[in-house]
Amino acid sequence: MGEMYIRVAEDENEEPMEIPSEDDGTVLLSSVAAQFPGACGLRYRSPVSQCMRGVRLVEGVLHAPESNWGNLVYVVNYPKDNKRKMEEMDAASAVKIKRGIQKTSDLIVLGLPWKTSEQDLKDYFGTFGEVIMVQVKRDPKSGNSKGFGFVRFADYETQVKVMSQRHMIDGRWCDCKLPNSKQGPDEPLRSRKVFVGRCTEDMTAEDLREFFMQYGEVTDVFIPKPFRAFAFVTFADDQVAQSLCGEDLIIKGVSVHISNAEPKHGNTVRHLFPIFPGRRPALAAMLQRCVYCRPPSTSTSTTSSCSHV
């Protein structure tokens, strides 16, 4: 039997590709996998029963049903776990492309010892990656350090790494953060936390941590108990959190939706406590740390654990 081609597609609704057969009319699985990496077999829809049927595979060789491939379109089979990983990789790639346009920012370095110089800063942070700017803020009259400075890196991933940890500089612990980060008690937590909706009960905190670590440093994962089909994930970098918002990601074969985890608007507090002007800021700070809005598409119940919100 001379060489012929069979029509193969990744999905029934997609345009097929022609795969060459061997001289005896069989098709090598390797020929299919060359065009569809990860393929483990073929299936087709029976013209009689309209059910999907598998193509017989023997030692890497696919045999035509009833000795004739015909004009049917054959659909590629993938191992279940491999297909899931491919879907997760596709989702991860889409988010990474979205994040790829982000540029580095000046980071403020808080808690610097008075003796730390700009050269000291450059030497220290140079161990993380290429430093393109360092500055120690000084009093214009005395020339003494004000106890903080700025640093900027050439690479965004280096910036994320530096922000995810504390730094021992000249014998003192220092912190690096974006200078425009809010300094209120609830603001840094709000900007770095995301709401993960449509979770399933078999998703553990470790599952979520391992999955989201591919995007950036994860500092906390909180799953309410009793289970409410959602979770909160907090990143070290607020830009990582914001880049994920609005995405639908595949975790353990389930599509979850990522959105902002924002405290309720401060006006709510002012409406609730109009007669305590002197205590309003304290009450607002207390309540905003404890109460979070949830997207309208999920249950209206809220988490009440202050230590995680």
Side-chain angles (χ1 to χ4, degrees):
M1 183 182 297
E3 183 182 71
M4 62 172 290
Y5 290 83
I6 69 169
R7 298 191 297 168
V8 179
E10 196 161 29
D11 187 88
E12 282 190 282
N13 299 320
E14 292 186 3
E15 183 178 355
M17 173 183 290
E18 291 188 333
I19 303 294
S21 68
E22 301 302 302
D23 291 339
D24 59 358
T26 61
V27 174
L28 299 180
L29 179 59
S30 59
S31 297
V32 177
Q35 304 302 324
F36 301 94
C40 65
L42 293 177
R43 65 185 188 276
Y44 66 100
R45 188 171 297 281
S46 169
V48 179
S49 66
Q50 293 300 307
C51 294
M52 297 301 292
R53 291 182 178 178
V55 174
R56 188 159 62 95
L57 174 65
V58 180
E59 296 182 352
V61 178
L62 293 157
H63 295 266
E66 302 178 1
S67 301
N68 183 11
W69 292 102
N71 293 321
L72 299 174
V73 174
Y74 295 86
V75 181
V76 178
N77 287 337
Y78 292 102
K80 185 176 181 181
D81 290 341
N82 186 57
K83 184 176 181 181
R84 180 180 302 168
K85 289 178 181 178
M86 290 175 65
E87 290 173 346
E88 292 179 356
M89 288 173 61
D90 289 343
S93 297
V95 175
K96 286 180 179 179
I97 290 173
K98 180 179 177 182
R99 289 180 52 215
I101 62 175
Q102 294 178 335
K103 298 180 180 179
T104 59
S105 305
D106 291 349
L107 300 181
I108 187 169
V109 186
L110 301 173
L112 286 177
W114 309 120
K115 65 178 182 179
T116 302
S117 67
E118 292 180 345
Q119 187 60 48
D120 294 333
L121 274 186
K122 187 172 184 179
D123 291 342
Y124 174 80
F125 285 114
T127 61
F128 293 88
E130 182 183 353
V131 177
I132 58 178
M133 185 278 296
V134 292
Q135 180 184 27
V136 174
K137 297 300 289 184
R138 300 182 181 278
D139 183 277
K141 294 182 179 179
S142 65
N144 295 329
S145 169
K146 291 186 176 182
F148 71 95
F150 294 91
V151 62
R152 185 165 188 163
F153 296 93
D155 183 64
Y156 178 76
E157 296 303 324
T158 303
Q159 173 177 308
V160 173
K161 183 178 180 180
V162 168
M163 292 177 62
S164 68
Q165 64 188 75
R166 303 194 74 195
H167 304 273
M168 178 65 73
I169 302 176
D170 288 339
R172 185 173 179 178
W173 285 110
C174 302
D175 294 297
C176 288
K177 60 178 63 178
L178 292 170
N180 59 351
S181 296
K182 302 295 183 181
Q183 300 301 312
D186 65 303
E187 292 297 338
L189 203 58
R190 178 180 66 181
S191 61
R192 295 184 287 114
K193 178 176 290 191
V194 296
F195 179 95
V196 185
R198 304 198 296 254
C199 293
T200 56
E201 289 193 69
D202 65 333
M203 291 182 188
T204 66
E206 188 57 36
D207 290 334
L208 295 179
R209 181 182 296 275
E210 182 178 350
F211 177 83
F212 285 104
M213 280 289 290
Q214 65 183 302
Y215 303 111
E217 183 72 21
V218 174
T219 61
D220 184 60
V221 175
F222 174 56
I223 301 177
K225 294 182 180 180
F227 179 71
R228 300 178 187 174
F230 68 87
F232 291 102
V233 176
T234 305
F235 293 91
D237 183 1
D238 60 346
Q239 293 189 51
V240 174
Q242 294 306 309
S243 73
L244 290 171
C245 289
E247 297 288 341
D248 290 300
L249 306 177
I250 305 297
I251 303 178
K252 300 186 73 173
V254 176
S255 175
V256 300
H257 183 70
I258 314 301
S259 57
N260 281 308
E262 296 184 351
K264 287 187 175 180
H265 197 278
N267 288 339
T268 302
V269 177
R270 288 194 289 271
H271 290 164
L272 289 173
F273 299 94
I275 62 174
F276 298 105
R279 300 181 182 180
R280 187 181 303 157
L283 289 170
M286 177 184 71
L287 291 181
Q288 287 176 341
R289 283 197 297 270
C290 297
V291 183
Y292 274 79
C293 289
R294 295 173 51 203
S297 60
T298 60
S299 172
T300 56
S301 59
T302 56
T303 179
S304 58
S305 175
C306 296
S307 61
H308 293 283
V309 178

